[in-house]
Amino acid sequence: MDNYQTIVGLGRDAIDTPALLIDLDALERNIKRMADFFATVPAALRPHTKTHKTPIIARKQIEAGARGITCAKVGEAEVMVANGVDDVLIANEVVGATKIARLMSLARHAKLTVAVDDPRNVAELSAAAQAMGATVGVLVEVNVGMNRCGVEPGEPALQLSRQVLESKGLRYRGLMGYEGHVVAMPDRQQREAACLKAMKLLLDTRAFVEAAGIPVEVVSGGGTGTYDITGRLPGVTEIQAGSYVTMDSAYGRLNLGFEQALTILVTVISRPSRDRAILDAGMKAMAVDHGTILPKGLPGATVAPRLSEEHARLDLVDVDLRPGDKIELIPGHGCTTINLHDQFYGIREGRVETVWQIAGRGRFR
Ligand SMILES: Cc1ncc(COP(=O)(O)O)c(C=O)c1O
């Protein structure tokens, strides 16, 4: 925590750049807005913490009513459990002896659930659980149209569910299906129609598995773009939305009602001409995988789409900016941008209130 003691209480411009800022009021309102929605439906929120990778934010989400958290990787889950989170879904396949051993160690310290889509993986998880005296919850992942992981709906999901049910050391909990091909569709009606089509595959599979006599306790899916579509469906029990807490420009286009809490503070390092300024942050500080990076509160400025490693170009029309000025940018994709940084600077009323370590960043194993 390099400059924690000297920076707290100072104004935003005292922060060296590039730096990630969190508007704490906006973050808290986003957490509350999502919690308020889940107070009105039977499904619970299990926020995906791959967005912020920061235990204190996970804790705030849980304090606001979230059932537990979702992680993408064992490494993320290790960080969260070590910081007191006790109920984690790894919404992903955990494959290979090394990771499975870590998973089972972790399962001795927290309630863990993992996704599966392969019979050999199920056998390996079961053998490791027995060898280590651990129990891990399991969701069978169903492909609901994203064509990433997951068995096909219906019979293949039933067969794998049976295998899990019969496997020692594993506790069959139900089904998961992530409609990732749908969550970012800009048009609400199209998104809703596509989402219902995807989730029908999952809910029909639930009915099919239950008709075979297997109780399905958990049906998990959903993202920020679909939380209030999937989250209202009878039979869905948990929603994995993550990005809502910080937001980014890609989700901003969907007008979901969440506020942009995350920005990147950058410094102008050069003003070579009237129509351009150069910033001290490039693709090593801001992800470029999707979304458009937007200058905050600077009409007349746009960020040129091609970033250098350590530079970005601002194209300007009548904007007064000079070397040394600090401005904020809205990331195109929050999750991958946050993963590039060690710390969040929590800002309230223009001052640094806190510095949070992004303890799970880079934990991709
Ligand atoms: C398995 C899974 N669940 C949920 C999400 C939801 O994330 P978001 O809220 O960013 O849409 C993601 C995003 O990548 C995911 O991979």
Side-chain angles (χ1 to χ4, degrees), residues 65-246:
R67 175 171 290 169
I69 60 161
T70 304
C71 290
K73 293 295 182 78
V74 177
E76 286 172 22
E78 286 168 340
V79 167
M80 291 296 171
V81 171
N83 283 278
V85 176
D86 63 0
D87 185 344
V88 181
L89 165 65
I90 300 179
N92 204 354
E93 282 61 20
V94 173
V95 173
T98 308
K99 281 198 191 65
I100 290 176
R102 281 167 55 205
L103 178 76
M104 296 308 163
S105 293
L106 204 57
R108 297 176 65 126
H109 301 276
K111 182 177 174 190
L112 272 205
T113 304
V114 67
V116 299
D117 70 357
D118 178 77
R120 266 184 42 194
N121 180 228
V122 170
E124 284 167 9
L125 289 170
S126 172
Q130 291 174 75
M132 295 185 64
T135 304
V136 73
V138 173
L139 299 183
V140 168
E141 181 166 4
V142 178
N143 177 17
V144 294
M146 189 187 182
N147 294 333
R148 195 168 65 180
C149 297
V151 293
E152 290 308 300
E155 186 60 37
L158 172 60
Q159 277 182 23
L160 201 59
S161 296
R162 273 212 181 96
Q163 185 193 344
V164 174
L165 202 62
E166 288 159 6
S167 298
K168 293 207 177 77
L170 306 186
R171 191 159 79 83
Y172 177 75
R173 301 196 62 211
L175 303 169
M176 159 179 154
Y178 175 54
E179 69 281 32
H181 55 305
V182 166
V183 292
M185 285 181 174
D187 180 79
R188 168 85 196 189
Q189 275 186 339
Q190 270 180 13
R191 188 162 76 250
E192 193 158 341
C195 182
L196 295 178
K197 188 175 158 206
M199 284 301 129
K200 185 172 184 318
L201 297 170
L202 190 61
L203 290 168
D204 285 354
T205 301
R206 175 186 188 144
F208 191 70
V209 171
E210 286 182 328
I214 300 177
V216 176
E217 172 204 347
V218 174
V219 174
S220 184
T224 294
T226 55
Y227 79 95
D228 60 345
I229 307 169
T230 303
R232 280 199 175 94
L233 292 175
V236 170
T237 68
E238 290 185 358
I239 295 296
Q240 304 170 3
S243 296
Y244 76 94
V245 75
T246 58

